[in-house]
Amino acid sequence: MDSSLWLIVAVVLVLVVAGYAAVLLVRVFRTRRLLLDAGVPLQSKALFWASVVYAVSPIDLIPDPVYLDDIGVLLIALRALHAAAAGNRTGPDGLPGGSKD
């Protein structure tokens, strides 16, 4: 294959990963509210912070230049945190999930 084709493939791959990383960064900043919520279990908060520490640490499970494992770990932690927050939501009457008339 031509070297310019490999360059184009590499640039497209870098742009896709950068796009996912940007979306992930926005989701991390929006998650700050959930970390302060008293109804979210400590286990979910600890999982989130452990994934952040893993993402910034130089040790990787899969040594790769595009940080796929870091992004995956952060996404799993964000999903777990959002699922825990959704499971603990209470309605205006104090019942989980709102009123059931």
Side-chain angles (χ1 to χ4, degrees):
M1 289 176 86
D2 193 303
S3 64
S4 63
L5 179 63
W6 284 112
L7 180 63
I8 291 170
V9 169
V11 167
V12 168
L13 181 64
V14 167
L15 289 175
V16 167
V17 169
Y20 277 117
V23 168
L24 184 63
L25 185 64
V26 169
R27 288 184 68 185
V28 166
F29 281 120
R30 287 184 182 170
T31 303
R32 289 181 298 167
R33 180 181 52 85
L34 292 177
L35 293 173
L36 298 175
D37 188 6
V40 176
L42 182 61
Q43 178 184 5
S44 298
K45 292 177 184 181
L47 177 66
F48 171 77
W49 285 116
S51 69
V52 169
V53 168
Y54 175 76
V56 298
S57 73
I59 300 170
D60 278 340
L61 292 176
I62 305 171
D64 56 352
V66 291
Y67 307 111
L68 291 177
D69 57 333
D70 298 336
I71 292 172
V73 168
L74 277 172
L75 283 174
I76 290 170
L78 283 171
R79 282 185 181 236
L81 188 64
H82 282 280
N88 289 329
R89 295 212 195 278
T90 59
D93 56 357
L95 295 174
S99 66
K100 306 283 184 192
D101 292 322

